[in-house]
Amino acid sequence: EDQVTQSPEALRLQEGESSSLNCSYTVSGLRGLFWYRQDPGKGPEFLFTLYSAGEEKEKERLKATLTKKESFLHITAPKPEDSATYLCAAEGSYKLIFGSGTRLLVRP
Amino acid sequence: DTGVSQDPRHKITKRGQNVTFRCDPISEHNRLYWYRQTLGQGPEFLTYFQNEAQLEKSRLLSDRFSAERPKGSFSTLEIQRTEQGDSAMYLCASSSGLAHTQYFGPGTRLTVL
C-alpha cells in the first residue's frame, strides 16, 4: 500500500536554529515528490517538486533533497515567519498521497 | 489573481441537508482534483478529472458524494444528506497536462451541525 510518513509531528526552534524535516515514502511508480507549506485555515502552498534521487532544490532558507526512500526539507537559520505546517506528498498515478505534516514553530 | 478559487470559503449546515461547492481551476489547467482534509491530517484524495472526464474516485467517496466538471472548466462537489463526519476542509487543486505540480485553492470549510 502506498504510504507517506513525516517526522517529527511537531518541531519548535529558536530563530536561527537550523534543522531538518523528514519524509519517508513507499509509493510504486513514483512520478514526483512534493513539498507544500500550509498556514492555518488556508490551502497548501507549493514549495518544491523533486523527480529523481539525488535531486536538490532551494528557495530562500529552504532546501529539499530526495533519495530513493526519503526526502528531507532543510531549514537554515529559520525566522518566525517560517512557522507553518509543512506537508510532503508523493505522486503515484496522478493523485497525491500526503503525510500528516510537520508543525513548525519558530520562536523569536 | 490567476490562482485556483473556491466558493464558498465557509459553509455551516445541518445534518441531512445537501451542500454544493464550486472550484475554478487555473485557466490553462486541464486536470482538476478534489481532496478532503481533517484537523491534524494531510489532505486525502477524493476524485480527479482530466478535462470533463472523471477518471478516478477514491474508495473513501461514498455514494452521497458526486462531482462534475461540465465543459472541462469549473467543477462542483455535492454532498447529499450530510453527516457530522463530513465536517472537514474540502480542497481543490489543478495541474496542467505536462507538469505534475498541483496548485491548491484556499479550500471550503464545511461544518455539519
Side-chain angles (χ1 to χ4, degrees):
Chain A
E1 181 184 348
D2 294 341
Q3 192 169 0
V4 174
T5 304
Q6 291 188 247
S7 62
E9 290 185 4
L11 182 62
R12 292 186 178 187
L13 299 174
Q14 286 294 135
E15 183 173 2
E17 179 186 3
S18 302
S19 188
S20 295
L21 281 55
N22 176 265
C23 170
S24 60
Y25 63 91
T26 307
V27 174
S28 55
L30 183 75
R31 295 164 62 89
L33 190 291
F34 302 83
W35 283 96
Y36 291 87
R37 168 189 171 133
Q38 187 172 32
D39 292 302
K42 297 187 176 181
E45 175 190 347
F46 169 71
L47 293 174
F48 302 108
T49 306
L50 302 165
Y51 291 105
S52 57
E55 190 175 359
E56 299 182 350
K57 289 199 175 166
E58 286 189 67
K59 178 182 178 181
E60 296 180 353
R61 295 177 294 281
L62 301 177
K63 178 181 173 180
T65 62
L66 181 65
T67 72
K68 288 186 177 180
K69 294 184 177 181
E70 293 178 303
S71 179
F72 295 91
L73 184 67
H74 308 279
I75 302 177
T76 302
K79 298 181 177 181
E81 53 261 41
D82 295 322
S83 298
T85 295
Y86 290 86
L87 295 166
C88 168
E91 182 188 3
S93 58
Y94 299 111
K95 65 186 179 187
L96 295 179
I97 300 162
F98 280 87
S100 297
T102 294
R103 296 187 307 279
L104 174 65
L105 176 64
V106 182
R107 294 174 289 186
Chain B
D1 186 11
T2 57
V4 178
S5 62
Q6 293 187 244
D7 184 70
R9 295 292 307 280
H10 304 275
K11 179 70 176 179
I12 300 174
T13 191
K14 293 182 179 179
R15 189 177 55 184
Q17 298 295 305
N18 298 343
V19 294
T20 300
F21 310 140
R22 175 179 170 126
C23 170
D24 287 272
I26 294 171
S27 59
E28 65 269 24
H29 285 182
N30 64 338
R31 294 191 178 133
L32 187 149
Y33 311 79
W34 286 98
Y35 292 83
R36 178 172 63 190
Q37 186 177 25
T38 54
L39 197 64
Q41 301 297 313
E44 290 181 292
F45 170 78
L46 293 179
T47 189
Y48 148 61
F49 292 84
Q50 181 163 309
N51 299 314
E52 66 275 12
Q54 188 174 17
L55 298 186
E56 189 172 346
K57 285 178 63 172
S58 167
R59 290 185 294 250
L60 301 173
L61 214 60
S62 77
D63 292 342
R64 298 184 297 105
F65 287 72
S66 63
E68 294 182 342
R69 193 183 182 197
K71 302 179 182 178
S73 55
F74 70 92
S75 176
T76 58
L77 177 68
E78 180 183 15
I79 309 174
Q80 296 181 327
R81 305 180 303 281
T82 53
E83 302 173 355
Q84 287 185 327
D86 297 330
S87 295
M89 174 79 89
Y90 289 84
L91 294 163
C92 176
S94 70
S95 69
S96 68
L98 297 177
H100 296 264
T101 300
Q102 296 182 25
Y103 295 91
F104 283 81
T108 294
R109 167 74 66 189
L110 173 66
T111 302
V112 182
L113 301 176

